[in-house]
Amino acid sequence: MLGKDQSVILQMLEVPGEGMKKLQGVKMELDDSAFPLLAGTTMSSDPHEAFGDADYALLVGARPRGPGMERKDLLTANAKIFQLQGSALNEVARRSCKTLVVGNPANTNALVAAHNAPDMNPENFMAMTKLDQSRAEGMLAEKYGCSVDEINRMIIWGNHSSTQYPDISHASIKGKWAKSVVDMKWYEGEFVPKVQKRGAEIIDARGASSAASAASAAVDHLNCLHVGSGDKWQSMGVVSHGEYGITPGLYYSVPTICTGDQTYRKIMGIPIDPYSAKKMNTTEKELLEERDGVKSLLGGSFEKIVKPYNVREKLRASMSEDELKTLVETEAKFTFDETVRVRMLENVKSAAPKPELTIVNEVLKEAGQPPYTKEIFDLMKGNPMQRKKATEMYTEVKIKTAVSKLSDGQKSALRDSVKGKKAFEF
């Protein structure tokens, strides 16, 4: 998922009771599979525990849609789940955590989760429309006798729903403009509605939502984000800043490019024909209706958007080729928050660059936190197990720092309160 050499720790979340019992079976199968890149597994029914120090969060848990159900029927019930999960992510996950929402209605669930994580960058919340793109590419490949690798620039606009717009206006099939190859009557009359309703078709066939294909799409999405997707366009449901006239703040699927630095870049300036504009407006209208349906769970302004990502993009645009190479090498080492990443970019352009540890500790000082030691800093740049150890060490540093500010009487009372419990010495 994150590259052939990147090990992972899976921190799995389930509902109490029967859900945890089934998750135990999943954990046993994972352990028995002896995956070389699986560095560890944990289980919890508490999102504050499961999301602790997470680099990536896949929010797949939602009430499933059954036969005859419309997605809007799930809206309020599922939005409450993502309100709680967004809040938990805000409290315990890494500031740089990338969150992929899979549970439906994915776009609006991403909106709810992001609004309830006010200290995190809304750019880092995404709704999965990779599955829709894969469905569209698969249908085109079957129809025109080619591999899905020979199809590029297939776009999914808007909502992950029956109003989504699968757009071939800029796509290529075997190197040729798709509209010069595709029968447009088939495209408008069969292809578009089939892609839009593929999820419902699968539910009718198997009595349950997509499983293997959805899991595959989630893996592909995060692989593109982390490793890169070359020059192939990837559809992602991401926060709008008004591009293409889309209402700011909505999580709306647009085409992106992933360059392997754990971020995406929206494809801008694509000409939109009248047919496409109509389809795009229809799916935007549905997203606005969904947004209004969960208004009470959002809190604050609908247009609450912070843009550290855009700050980094402007800095990147001003860099030379050599500076960009240095930047990529530097950013690849870190999973720190956006403030540190921006400082790292500024450091690359500085006439007198500072050591990386100095930059991190300056940010920690501004946040009122104790500094990293060199050992902790070096571990933070390592694999998941090393980062977990670093987090434990830094937690001890923070506790000792806090205790050092207490009076003797307060220290004595604290010692009495932790007698017989595992605690740090002080």
Side-chain angles (χ1 to χ4, degrees):
M1 183 170 72
L2 302 180
K4 62 181 181 179
D5 300 318
Q6 178 62 64
S7 59
V8 298
I9 298 172
L10 292 181
Q11 300 174 174
M12 299 178 287
L13 176 68
E14 251 296 0
V15 295
E18 189 64 24
M20 286 298 290
K21 182 179 179 181
K22 291 180 178 179
L23 185 59
Q24 179 64 50
V26 172
K27 184 181 186 305
M28 287 190 286
E29 288 210 84
L30 288 168
D31 293 341
D32 294 348
S33 297
F35 293 115
L37 294 181
L38 184 57
T41 57
T42 65
M43 303 190 314
S44 179
S45 59
D46 180 1
H48 292 84
E49 182 179 358
F51 295 152
D53 200 35
D55 292 306
Y56 288 93
L58 286 84
L59 306 187
V60 300
R63 179 183 173 186
R65 181 174 58 161
M69 291 181 70
E70 290 295 327
R71 293 174 71 261
K72 62 185 179 181
D73 298 332
L74 301 177
L75 190 62
T76 302
N78 279 333
K80 290 180 179 178
I81 295 173
F82 289 84
Q83 178 188 34
L84 294 173
Q85 293 187 344
S87 177
L89 284 165
N90 191 64
E91 291 180 28
V92 300
R94 287 176 178 265
R95 298 300 83 184
S96 57
C97 179
K98 308 298 188 295
T99 299
L100 176 62
V101 177
V102 178
N104 284 319
N107 297 59
T108 297
N109 287 340
L111 173 72
V112 171
H115 269 267
N116 284 279
D119 299 322
M120 301 180 79
N121 183 359
E123 300 277 359
N124 288 341
F125 286 81
M126 295 154 279
M128 189 176 79
T129 54
K130 175 64 175 173
L131 176 57
D132 306 298
Q133 179 179 330
S134 296
R135 288 168 171 168
E137 290 172 347
M139 291 179 197
L140 288 173
E142 182 179 11
K143 176 75 172 178
Y144 293 99
C146 65
S147 164
V148 291
D149 290 336
E150 295 177 289
I151 299 171
N152 193 8
R153 301 192 172 190
M154 178 71 224
I155 303 172
I156 302 296
W157 296 102
N159 202 2
H160 173 60
S161 74
S162 58
T163 68
Q164 67 177 265
Y165 172 44
D167 181 13
I168 65 166
S169 300
H170 309 280
S172 63
I173 300 175
K174 294 192 286 189
K176 297 181 180 179
W177 182 36
K179 282 193 171 182
S180 69
V181 176
V182 174
D183 176 348
M184 294 306 291
K185 287 185 178 180
W186 171 82
Y187 168 70
E188 294 181 10
E190 294 185 40
F191 175 81
V192 170
K194 191 173 182 68
V195 174
Q196 291 174 328
K197 298 175 182 179
R198 184 65 163 186
E201 186 180 0
I202 290 173
I203 291 172
D204 289 342
R206 65 186 296 268
S209 299
S210 306
S213 58
S216 177
V219 169
D220 289 344
H221 178 114
L222 292 186
N223 180 266
C224 289
L225 193 68
H226 191 84
V227 179
S229 59
D231 62 355
K232 185 163 185 175
W233 292 8
Q234 305 295 336
S235 296
M236 295 185 180
V238 295
V239 67
S240 168
H241 296 306
E243 304 90 347
Y244 299 104
I246 301 160
T247 303
L250 291 181
Y251 278 76
Y252 188 105
S253 182
V254 297
T256 70
I257 282 283
C258 300
T259 58
D261 58 356
Q262 301 178 43
T263 59
Y264 56 83
R265 287 163 186 80
K266 297 173 184 175
I267 305 297
M268 304 297 292
I270 300 173
I272 305 298
D273 60 44
Y275 175 83
S276 296
K278 183 178 179 180
K279 293 288 187 182
M280 291 169 67
N281 288 340
T282 297
T283 192
E284 180 187 16
K285 181 180 177 182
E286 181 183 51
L287 283 169
L288 288 168
E289 291 171 353
E290 289 185 7
R291 182 199 68 179
D292 292 344
V294 297
K295 185 176 180 180
S296 63
L297 303 177
L298 297 180
S301 167
F302 289 136
E303 284 70 43
K304 181 216 73 168
I305 300 171
V306 297
K307 303 182 180 179
Y309 169 80
N310 291 343
V311 172
R312 290 198 286 114
E313 286 300 283
K314 288 179 181 178
L315 284 166
R316 292 177 74 104
S318 69
M319 289 183 169
S320 68
E321 188 174 334
D322 288 342
E323 287 174 332
L324 280 171
K325 183 179 179 181
T326 302
L327 166 66
V328 171
E329 292 171 351
T330 300
E331 286 195 329
K333 302 175 185 176
F334 295 95
T335 54
F336 295 111
D337 68 15
E338 294 294 338
T339 303
V340 175
R341 289 170 70 89
V342 169
R343 297 284 179 87
M344 290 294 181
L345 265 82
E346 294 170 338
N347 193 54
V348 170
K349 291 187 68 66
S350 173
K354 300 176 182 178
E356 294 165 347
L357 178 56
T358 300
I359 296 172
V360 173
N361 282 338
E362 285 177 352
V363 175
L364 289 171
K365 183 178 180 180
E366 291 168 10
Q369 298 294 331
Y372 281 168
T373 64
K374 187 176 187 305
E375 182 183 8
I376 291 175
F377 180 71
D378 289 341
L379 287 170
M380 279 292 191
K381 296 189 289 184
N383 61 41
M385 294 300 290
Q386 290 172 317
R387 294 204 301 272
K388 183 178 180 181
K389 181 180 178 182
T391 300
E392 292 170 350
M393 292 170 64
Y394 188 57
T395 298
E396 184 172 352
V397 169
K398 289 197 287 186
I399 290 174
K400 287 183 175 180
T401 301
V403 169
S404 70
K405 298 177 182 178
L406 300 177
S407 67
D408 290 342
Q410 290 171 320
K411 289 179 183 178
S412 179
L414 183 59
R415 286 192 187 95
D416 291 340
S417 70
V418 298
K419 277 183 179 178
K421 300 178 183 178
K422 183 179 178 181
F424 296 114
E425 294 181 3
F426 57 90

